[in-house]
Amino acid sequence: MAVKIYDVAKAAGVTSSTVSRVFNGYPDISEHTRKKVYEVAAKLGYTPNIAARTLSSKSLKTVALILNDLVASRFDGVSMQTILGVYNYCETHAMQFVLYPTTTKLQHEKTFDQFCMERNVAGAVVQGLHIDDPYIQQISESQTPVVMIDLEIPGANTVSISVDNVAAEKEATQAILRHGKSHPVMMNGIPSAQVSNLREKGFREAIHDAGLSLSDDAIMYADFDIDKAEAAMRNALASGREIDAVICASDAMAMGVMTALKAAHRRVPEDCEVVGFDNIAITEYSQPTISTIDQHMEKIGGMAAQLVDKLLNGKVAPNMRHIFSPHKFIQRESTGVYPDK
Amino acid sequence: MAVKIYDVAKAAGVTSSTVSRVFNGYPDISEHTRKKVYEVAAKLGYTPNIAARTLSSKSLKTVALILNDLVASRFDGVSMQTILGVYNYCETHAMQFVLYPTTTKLQHEKTFDQFCMERNVAGAVVQGLHIDDPYIQQISESQTPVVMIDLEIPGANTVSISVDNVAAEKEATQAILRHGKSHPVMMNGIPSAQVSNLREKGFREAIHDAGLSLSDDAIMYADFDIDKAEAAMRNALASGREIDAVICASDAMAMGVMTALKAAHRRVPEDCEVVGFDNIAITEYSQPTISTIDQHMEKIGGMAAQLVDKLLNGKVAPNMRHIFSPHKFIQRESTGVYPDK
DNA sequence: CTGAAAGCGCTTACAG
DNA sequence: CTGAAAGCGCTTACAG
């Protein structure tokens, strides 16, 4: 049924070796046969079989995108963006792409190296790992280069990429302080996500630099979940303590917080400002619109793929452990900024 | 580096043929050697190489999930759910999974059959195609079985799956008519998506059955886009014609419609009811919450994968052209239903 | 510039 | 119940 390299070779009057060479862009091929081969291949509709190529070749690189359950939230399209970023880089750089949606549970059934072996994975980008996932250690010890999104781990073949979470959250906090708010709290994500810790650090730094102090209950944890965030915020408000700003480690949690504020008849931003993180679509359409930090996940995906490409070619300085991708603090109505539509 | 079948065979004192047989679940293997092989394989951390398997085997099936750009909206996690549905079915049924995020443009560079050849795709599930995509004809004429999500096309090896869009939209429309609304309009999606036509049909049927008639401008098209929907709704309201309900072909458009209503100081649901489609996360959290139709995309993904499995095994009746997956009309505040939280 | 040949890591009739 | 051998569709030293 399918047309194979042999068919093309025969029709072009050459060997399969030659056809292979022109398809792999070898330089020493006569212009004449190159043209002929392409012509015949196009007419026959030939496409090289990928399984055969990966089996016989050392140079066909496949990069895997490993998405752990941490990112599979129903709430946003974030992980879809990562997929597109990585895919597009691979597509335009002659690398194979393979997606592996895993879970902490699945990680116990198959080690990272086993996964890489079975699929001939040359390098991987990994997103959504908790800091206590079994994969972490396996990745550090693995030979295969991996680029971690949002999580720094040790390992000679490992580089991580993320926005500067500390700086970003600090920037956001400073903004609300500048607006005259002096009793901010933070709604943080699950502690086993490294970004939670970094964002908390940025929050604390801004508070500290401003000469303010934080009560013990100023940091709440709501696992990046909208309902948990709402519940936590309701409790906080019910306790009667003074709160005039909430820095949230995700937009979903910011939504939950706003619901709780509304229920308590607190006006946003007049009585209490709110900032999220991620810049998911709804932040532009909620009422009020939500200030947040844009991460541009598709770009991060692309950069990550490029990094594994560089890692594969030894083009990453050995002391490079982490790359910061650009972020942007976007102010909207929830921090008192009303852009004219 | 990697451990291969030969290593296991040697360590277990058998041939690679035997190892292959136990790993493929052949029945005629002595209990003793089966155990031994598994034991050795586990100790060595052996996993069969997939490229080698797909190259040499007729029975290793790989199913591709082809996601076209139509579904890559930033607004929701819908396509992520499809991915998980298909992936999980494959994972638990010994089939290989491969994701191909394509675009109408990419479809011109590589035919459907070429894609299937190069990746040894035995069957595919396809989502997000426009009715004028080049893939449509190629799929109809292709030998490889495909399950289309949300789009019926001809073809002997083709089955489609979707919710009953006509019935669903009819049901929603009837509900708002029952609430006493008599000037409904529809905010429809891009006409090149089949679901748009079906949902419109359901809407029209409900109107017709109720003995009402529709003006020419009762159906608007906003390409599933929130901003376009808002703009279209603003225009409609500005025109001064009477509107007391808006049936939308997607939740995103429902959001846009609600924004326009709010800007015109029309209360939802008192002055105008709104219905969306998809049940994306925000519908539960917008204010008011949005009535909508739940599709359960992850389930559809799973059913679709199962269908290609059946297609592959000739277990689908030849006259079966389409499967309806269950949907559920969920009433919320935007149609006057206030569930106690 | 191009061929002949070995090899990638499996699977599967074919024998026994 | 298990081996020996051919084959899946490519790539790539090795010659020439």
Side-chain angles (χ1 to χ4, degrees), chain A residues 207-242:
Chain A
I207 300 295
H208 180 265
D209 290 1
L212 297 174
S213 66
L214 241 34
S215 65
D216 285 345
D217 47 10
I219 314 264
M220 297 171 272
Y221 298 89
D223 297 356
F224 295 118
D225 184 84
I226 185 169
D227 294 320
K228 288 186 189 172
E230 180 184 338
M233 191 63 198
R234 279 177 188 271
N235 280 342
L237 291 168
S239 78
R241 57 191 166 111
E242 198 172 346

Side-chain angles (χ1 to χ4, degrees), chain A residues 156-329:
Chain A
N157 283 304
T158 298
V159 176
S160 55
I161 182 171
S162 73
V163 297
D164 188 338
N165 284 286
V166 177
E169 207 67 299
K170 188 169 181 176
E171 187 179 336
T173 308
Q174 285 170 334
I176 63 101
L177 294 177
R178 223 177 296 120
H179 297 167
K181 303 301 183 183
S182 54
H183 295 280
V185 297
M186 177 173 193
M187 188 64 71
N188 206 352
I190 194 166
S192 67
Q194 191 184 36
V195 293
S196 301
N197 308 324
L198 297 173
R199 290 169 195 174
E200 180 171 331
K201 187 169 177 228
F203 174 70
R204 287 183 183 279
E205 282 185 12
I207 300 295
H208 180 265
D209 290 1
L212 297 174
S213 66
L214 241 34
S215 65
D216 285 345
D217 47 10
I219 314 264
M220 297 171 272
Y221 298 89
D223 297 356
F224 295 118
D225 184 84
I226 185 169
D227 294 320
K228 288 186 189 172
E230 180 184 338
M233 191 63 198
R234 279 177 188 271
N235 280 342
L237 291 168
S239 78
R241 57 191 166 111
E242 198 172 346
I243 296 177
D244 59 10
V246 189
I247 303 293
C248 306
S250 82
D251 290 332
M253 292 193 297
M255 293 284 294
V257 164
M258 296 222 306
T259 303
L261 285 165
K262 209 158 294 186
H265 305 292
R266 306 287 298 275
R267 294 166 304 162
V268 176
E270 296 83 350
D271 303 328
C272 185
E273 296 195 356
V274 174
V275 7
F277 207 112
D278 288 342
N279 193 26
I280 65 177
I282 43 163
T283 54
E284 289 180 62
Y285 300 99
S286 78
Q287 309 220 338
T289 57
I290 302 177
S291 301
T292 187
I293 298 184
D294 184 58
Q295 299 207 60
H296 207 324
M297 264 305 168
E298 185 165 348
K299 183 177 209 160
I300 292 182
M303 289 175 70
Q306 185 181 40
L307 270 173
V308 341
D309 197 0
K310 285 186 179 168
L311 238 21
L312 251 18
N313 296 303
K315 294 205 176 140
V316 174
N319 60 338
M320 179 183 293
R321 306 294 310 131
H322 187 84
I323 302 262
F324 285 123
S325 57
H327 68 266
K328 196 167 153 201
F329 178 42

